[in-house]
């Protein structure tokens, strides 16, 4: 009888420990407390194949079937502060028949940042990204994860410049130094490596082994105004895409372009939304034709794209 009571007591304590370790208290206004049981065992996760590319088609590596991309952009998932909201958004996307969501995998400097400073991360925010990826897989949604912002929101290029200046580097105040300064390129590469080698605390799956990740996006809407002819951005794209492929051969890579044409394509300049678009250092065709870039994408603007505008051997997606 005494042994039974002891076992019951031990069982009760273990149950309380499980509840305690899996209780996520709310933090800040509008946050909710959530009880979640984490079982970070990779083989218990829903079965899903990686998306690969066969010429201009996307293919499911598990089934060999074609993958047609229908999806949406919810940049805010990691930073929402509400796992209930994340789950609801992904569930709604699934119920609407969509299969791909584009979202941020960055937040550099400032309040609630993922990367507090170069090489320093907020584990609480990282676990929020873990949850986005975990919940996406549960809903059979694949994610395009963007790695940095061209704009100042969520840190962006400007934050990397400030970090380098604070470290005593001789860096121009122009944010275009992001594409050329060796220290800043090193910050970006270190960040990418941390992301790719992260083990998800919910699933136990390393990000580089996660089939729910559709692709890595190098940057949100890259521009290099001070080098409008384009070689600086082109060289950066080639270098960073090659670096990611050296760490992760399972996932696709895209640039994150807006879809503008550069001065080297005078016959296409009329398709741009204005003359200013050709002076931003990007060119949709040239940038997308880098060997390690798997598919072309465009954001913000809509246009007709004929067969001459499609990089050979690449898929094409509008985000």
């Amino acid at each position: 009888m005494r042994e039974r009571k002891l076992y019951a007591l031990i069982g009760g304590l273990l149950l309380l420990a499980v509840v305690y370790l899996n209780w996520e208290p709310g933090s800040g206004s509008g946050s909710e407390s959530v009880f979640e049981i984490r079982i970070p065992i990779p083989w218990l996760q829903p079965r899903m194949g990686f998306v690969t590319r066969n010429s201009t088609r996307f293919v499911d590596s598990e089934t060999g079937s074609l993958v047609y991309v229908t999806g949406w952009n919810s940049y805010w998932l990691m930073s929402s502060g509400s796992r209930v909201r994340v789950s609801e958004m992904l569930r709604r996307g699934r119920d609407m028949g969509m299969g791909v969501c584009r979202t941020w995998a960055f937040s550099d400097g400032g309040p609630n940042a993922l990367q507090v400073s170069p090489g320093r991360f907020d584990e609480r925010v990282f676990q929020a990204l873990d949850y986005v990826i975990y919940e996406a897989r549960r809903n059979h949604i694949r994610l395009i994860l963007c790695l940095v912002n061209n704009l100042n929101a969520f840190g962006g290029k400007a934050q990397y410049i400030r970090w380098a200046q604070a470290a005593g580097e001789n860096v121009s105040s122009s944010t275009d130094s992001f594409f050329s300064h060796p220290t800043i390129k090193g910050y970006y590469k270190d960040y990418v490596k941390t992301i790719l080698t992260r083990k998800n605390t919910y699933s136990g799956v390393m990000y580089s082994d996660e089939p729910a990740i559709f692709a890595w996006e190098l940057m949100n809407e890259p521009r290099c105004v001070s080098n409008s002819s384009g070689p600086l951005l082109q060289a950066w794209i080639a270098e960073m895409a090659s670096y990611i492929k050296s760490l992760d051969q399972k996932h696709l890579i895209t640039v994150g372009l807006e879809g503008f044409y550069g001065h080297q394509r005078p016959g296409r300049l009329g398709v741009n939304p204005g003359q200013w678009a050709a002076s931003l250092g990007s060119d949709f065709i040239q940038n997308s034709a880098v060997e390690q870039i798997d598919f072309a994408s465009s954001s913000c603007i809509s246009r007709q794209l004929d067969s001459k505008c499609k990089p050979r051997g690449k898929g094409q997606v509008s985000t």
Side-chain angles (χ1 to χ4, degrees):
M1 178 67 70
R2 183 178 298 176
E3 289 182 349
R4 289 183 180 178
K5 289 182 178 179
L6 179 61
Y7 291 150
L9 177 61
I10 292 173
L13 291 173
L14 288 173
L15 180 60
L16 288 173
V18 168
V19 171
Y20 175 76
L21 292 172
N22 289 278
W23 182 263
E24 295 289 342
S27 57
S29 176
S31 299
E32 70 285 326
S33 297
V34 179
F35 174 70
E36 297 161 338
I37 295 179
R38 301 190 194 186
I39 308 178
I41 302 175
W43 52 266
L44 286 180
Q45 306 313 309
R47 194 171 183 85
M48 190 181 238
F50 287 90
V51 174
T52 59
R53 180 172 58 83
N54 181 2
S55 185
T56 59
R57 296 170 182 256
F58 295 124
V59 179
D60 187 312
S61 63
E62 277 289 308
T63 65
S65 59
L66 296 180
V67 175
Y68 295 96
V69 176
T70 54
W72 77 102
N73 186 77
S74 286
Y75 72 89
W76 48 265
L77 294 179
M78 179 181 69
S79 60
S80 71
S82 169
R83 299 189 181 181
V84 170
R85 190 179 177 203
V86 168
S87 300
E88 178 68 10
M89 187 74 252
L90 293 168
R91 183 192 64 76
R92 288 188 181 187
R94 179 201 66 200
D95 291 348
M96 292 174 68
M98 294 188 284
V100 176
C101 175
R102 176 177 178 263
T103 193
W104 292 171
F106 66 83
S107 179
D108 301 307
N112 298 315
L114 172 58
Q115 186 174 208
V116 179
S117 61
R120 288 185 58 239
F121 297 85
D122 186 327
E123 177 61 21
R124 176 186 57 84
V125 181
F126 232 144
Q127 289 188 22
L129 181 57
D130 289 346
Y131 185 77
V132 171
I133 297 170
Y134 168 77
E135 193 69 4
R137 185 163 176 175
R138 288 182 63 198
N139 284 279
H140 211 75
I141 297 292
R142 293 186 171 95
L143 301 171
I144 296 176
L145 294 179
C146 185
L147 297 170
V148 72
N149 203 359
N150 177 75
L151 306 172
N152 294 339
F154 296 90
K157 292 188 305 184
Q159 180 62 72
Y160 278 78
I161 302 299
R162 289 193 293 271
W163 282 335
Q165 291 173 336
E169 297 289 343
N170 184 18
V171 181
S172 165
S173 59
S174 167
T175 58
D176 291 344
S177 299
F178 179 91
F179 299 114
S180 59
H181 197 281
T183 295
I184 297 173
K185 290 197 291 183
Y187 290 161
Y188 180 83
K189 286 182 177 179
D190 290 344
Y191 178 76
V192 167
K193 186 174 183 179
T194 300
I195 292 287
L196 268 59
T197 57
R198 166 79 174 182
K199 182 175 284 189
N200 194 310
T201 57
Y202 285 86
S203 67
V205 179
M206 192 175 292
Y207 283 19
S208 59
D209 295 327
E210 176 54 73
I213 297 173
F214 181 90
W216 303 111
E217 185 176 275
L218 298 182
M219 175 179 278
N220 176 52
E221 301 178 0
R223 297 181 177 187
C224 188
V225 180
S226 64
N227 191 235
S228 60
S229 58
L232 198 58
L233 177 57
Q234 182 76 0
W236 183 86
I237 291 169
E239 180 179 352
M240 298 310 169
S242 179
Y243 179 72
I244 291 177
K245 288 290 187 182
S246 75
L247 300 175
D248 177 5
Q249 292 82 44
K250 295 179 180 178
H251 288 107
L252 303 174
I253 300 176
T254 190
V255 181
L257 297 164
E258 294 169 275
F260 304 144
Y261 296 96
H263 288 296
Q264 56 269 53
R265 284 171 219 290
R268 302 300 301 171
L269 296 183
V271 183
N272 284 343
Q275 292 183 354
W276 53 269
S279 62
L280 301 176
S282 66
D283 181 85
F284 178 69
I285 300 300
Q286 183 182 39
N287 299 157
S288 300
V290 170
E291 182 180 358
Q292 302 292 356
I293 297 300
D294 293 295
F295 64 94
S297 63
S298 63
S299 62
C300 295
I301 57 176
S302 301
R303 66 177 69 71
Q304 291 295 322
L305 290 166
D306 59 29
S307 60
K308 294 180 182 179
C309 298
K310 185 180 293 185
R312 225 174 138 184
K314 307 276 177 96
Q316 189 166 326
V317 175
S318 177
T319 56

